[in-house]
Amino acid sequence: MSSSNTTLLVGGRIHTPVSPDATAMAVTDGTVVWVGQDAPGRALHPGAEVVDLDGAFVAPAFVDAHVHATNTGLHLTGLDLTTVADAGGLLAAVRDAAKPGEVLLAHGWDETSWTTTRLPSRAELDEAAGGVAVYLSRVDVHSALVSSALLDLVPGITETEGYSPDGPLTRAAHHAARTAAYGAITPEQRERAQRAFLGAAAANGIVSVHECAGPDICGENDLRALLRLAGEPGLVEVVPYWGALADDAALRLAAELGLRGLGGDLFVDGALGSRTAALTAPYADRPCTSGARYHDARAIADHLVACTEAGLQAGFHVIGDAAVAEVVEAFALAEDVVGQRALARTGHRLEHVEMITRDQAAALARWNVTASMQPAFDALWGGADGMYATRLGTERAATLNPFAALAAEGVSLAFGSDAPVTPLDPWGGVRAAVHHRTPGSGISARAAFNAHTRGGHRAAGVNDGVTGSLVPGAPAHYAVWEADDLVVATPDTRVQRWSTDPRSRVPGLPPLDPGSPLPRCVRTVRAGTVIHDSADADGATGADGGPGARSAVASGT
């Protein structure tokens, strides 16, 4: 079994179901071949490259099941609006960042957290931008403040639904402005942003991301550029989705680019923060509106049928209860055409699914639909005083993001960030899913971790039973973490945790109590190749861990 192309990790804490007290793991040619204790590992692999983990925690690498790479990268490399506190702060930030000849894209303002909710006028934004085309997306990315220079790039924008002469653009007008903004960035801006995103993902222990692209998100050229970049060795895997209905052009694009599906942000409705999520009853803080629905059940069903027949995943962005009801009706209509087994076999998915009943969840489970969800949404906007309660009232708000109910009904969960809506922070997402702001809606740490690892691979159609786990035969997708003592936690408040006992056969996880320090990523490995090393001073990384990776873990940095 020993081989010169085998790496043996020793002296660590390995998260594996085959041996809860494992301290060692062997990887050959990008595949886990053995897990167990140090001494047997050394005996079984005498010629292996030995990496001393120095007590580090090794776990399956994370999957982020919903991201927007370029937008997040622009946020990382450019102007960050998440910290501005009022209109004046936003304008000052724009004034400092605007560069003649280069479109300014920024993200993250949230007037519900400002000291005053007054938004800047377009005239104020034009003055701050100095003639530069500016696109400033709200935190939920369903509305944006824009400058007049950007509007000049969008013919007919003033007659488009969702246009405002002075306030944020929403609906179709927002989509058109966003398309124009992304179309105006330079190739250098795009590549810089995409590299920054992929690097940040790897640095957070993420080995795979699901890019939810589309004509209303960032455009075809952006997706092509991202896939070309992701084809380079040593980077995070990008699983591509395209948010367009399954017409001839979309099906041709899917075949050409090898898309996993026509879904992701294929919008059935909008977002709660922008009051564009489709509701069955009006918004509590604006009774004149119940949001926006962009597709009806018949159109959704036609898309499901076309994707099922083409062997592609279908998927939809769906948040409000009226939108969820439309999608559930559409699955029933599609079943009448292709049958339940064909729908279940294709493994379609829904994004966000924030307002869903148990009966609807049971129906989705029957069709083998994956719920791709973002636990950080609840952490940011849940609770009696959060944005959900402001928009919906406390009674409706308490029903949102019901992870426990979905899991209980048999719906597969896949967790992500919707970056840049929330940061690339998978451990934070796991903690948010456990400590849901609505008692009874959270799930166990083990279930949440699985949803952010194996669940993401399954959501992309990888159903081999091993990917996303550290067991013999699995791809060596793992991350090395500095972490506190491991615990085995339960969602039951009567039993918070018990010590990691090998007899329990349940691998432990770092403590996820609110306020406790989260693990720090030391290294991320994809199929045996290091894609991030926090102490890679000489840049020497290679297959199966490689010599350049060894010193980083051994030194404990």
Side-chain angles (χ1 to χ4, degrees):
M1 186 178 290
S2 67
S3 173
S4 59
N5 62 345
T6 295
T7 294
L8 178 65
L9 309 180
V10 298
R13 297 168 290 168
I14 314 296
H15 185 279
T16 174
V18 301
S19 177
D21 57 350
T23 60
M25 180 174 74
V27 174
T28 301
D29 295 331
T31 299
V32 177
V33 295
W34 179 87
V35 182
Q37 295 290 310
D38 286 8
R42 291 180 185 274
L44 289 168
H45 306 90
E49 176 86 30
V50 177
V51 175
D52 185 355
L53 293 168
D54 195 26
F57 176 53
V58 179
F62 287 107
V63 178
D64 193 312
H66 190 123
V67 303
H68 303 285
T70 303
N71 201 341
T72 306
L74 290 166
H75 181 51
L76 293 170
T77 60
L79 179 57
D80 180 358
L81 298 178
T82 59
T83 59
V84 299
D86 55 25
L90 182 145
L91 293 169
V94 169
R95 190 173 290 110
D96 290 341
K99 298 178 181 178
E102 191 172 279
V103 63
L104 174 63
L105 293 92
H107 166 77
W109 60 269
D110 181 1
E111 81 288 0
T112 66
S113 66
W114 288 1
T115 55
T116 173
T117 59
R118 184 189 79 83
L119 297 174
S121 68
R122 185 154 300 137
E124 290 176 307
L125 186 57
D126 288 345
E127 185 279 327
V132 168
V134 171
Y135 168 85
L136 311 176
S137 54
R138 192 183 181 277
V139 64
D140 59 11
V141 202
H142 281 264
S143 62
L145 295 167
V146 300
S147 68
S148 297
L150 181 62
L151 294 177
D152 291 342
L153 302 177
V154 192
I157 187 69
T158 57
E159 287 76 44
T160 304
E161 181 188 20
Y163 172 78
S164 169
D166 204 41
L169 304 187
T170 62
R171 307 188 186 193
H174 171 239
H175 296 164
R178 177 168 56 191
T179 299
Y182 276 90
I185 66 174
T186 66
E188 292 77 17
Q189 274 183 289
R190 177 178 287 114
E191 181 175 348
R192 186 167 64 245
Q194 291 176 346
R195 286 191 183 277
F197 165 80
L198 293 173
N204 280 278
I206 297 168
V207 76
S208 178
V209 296
H210 299 180
E211 169 67 9
C212 294
D216 293 331
I217 304 296
C218 53
E220 185 178 318
N221 289 337
D222 186 88
L223 178 59
R224 289 179 182 276
L226 177 63
L227 294 179
R228 283 195 301 270
L229 177 60
E232 295 181 5
L235 296 174
V236 168
E237 176 192 34
V238 174
V239 179
Y241 290 85
W242 183 248
L245 292 175
D247 58 16
D248 290 344
L251 290 169
R252 283 195 301 270
L253 185 69
E256 178 191 352
L257 298 184
L259 302 181
R260 184 66 192 86
L262 296 176
D265 274 342
L266 176 48
F267 299 112
V268 174
D269 65 343
L272 293 165
S274 295
R275 301 186 189 86
T276 51
L279 306 180
T280 55
Y283 282 86
D285 62 344
R286 190 171 292 178
C288 61
T289 182
S290 297
R293 194 190 68 205
Y294 303 129
H295 297 294
D296 62 17
R298 183 72 266 169
I300 298 167
D302 289 345
H303 180 72
L304 287 167
V305 169
C307 287
T308 300
E309 293 177 341
L312 290 168
Q313 279 185 314
F316 298 92
H317 162 117
V318 53
I319 288 180
D321 54 357
V324 172
E326 206 75 18
V327 169
V328 172
E329 179 185 348
F331 269 94
L333 292 172
E335 181 180 353
D336 290 340
V337 179
V338 298
Q340 182 269 338
R341 289 186 179 180
L343 286 174
R345 183 172 59 249
T346 311
H348 303 301
R349 56 188 281 176
L350 298 176
E351 311 298 318
H352 315 313
V353 208
E354 295 192 64
M355 299 179 73
I356 184 169
T357 67
R358 276 190 173 267
D359 287 345
Q360 291 168 334
L364 294 183
R366 179 174 171 271
W367 293 308
N368 189 32
V369 176
T370 295
S372 167
M373 304 182 75
Q374 296 72 40
F377 286 8
D378 178 72
L380 284 173
W381 303 317
D385 300 320
M387 183 271 288
Y388 289 153
T390 300
R391 292 287 186 266
L392 303 174
T394 55
E395 184 175 345
R396 276 192 294 178
T399 67
L400 266 62
N401 301 297
F403 305 130
L406 284 160
E409 296 298 335
V411 176
S412 295
L413 300 178
F415 286 163
S417 64
D418 198 9
V421 175
T422 70
L424 295 166
D425 179 17
W427 280 117
V430 172
R431 176 156 64 188
V434 174
H435 298 284
H436 199 290
R437 289 179 178 270
T438 299
S441 289
I443 54 178
S444 70
R446 183 184 183 191
F449 182 76
N450 286 341
H452 227 323
T453 51
R454 285 187 293 164
H457 292 293
R458 288 197 301 267
V462 181
N463 296 305
D464 58 15
V466 295
T467 300
S469 299
L470 298 183
V471 297
H477 303 325
Y478 64 90
V480 180
W481 304 89
E482 288 182 355
D484 290 339
D485 291 341
L486 306 183
V487 296
V488 180
T490 77
D492 190 333
T493 55
R494 294 171 299 173
V495 183
Q496 291 296 327
R497 65 172 60 88
W498 58 87
S499 63
T500 303
D501 186 336
R503 293 171 296 179
S504 72
R505 309 301 296 174
V506 176
L509 289 168
L512 297 168
D513 307 288
S516 64
L518 293 175
R520 187 183 77 86
C521 186
V522 174
R523 180 182 311 142
T524 307
V525 178
R526 175 188 170 192
T529 297
V530 176
I531 61 174
H532 166 75
D533 195 319
S534 64
D536 185 20
D538 58 5
T541 59
D544 297 328
R550 181 174 62 255
S551 61
V553 175
S555 65
T557 57

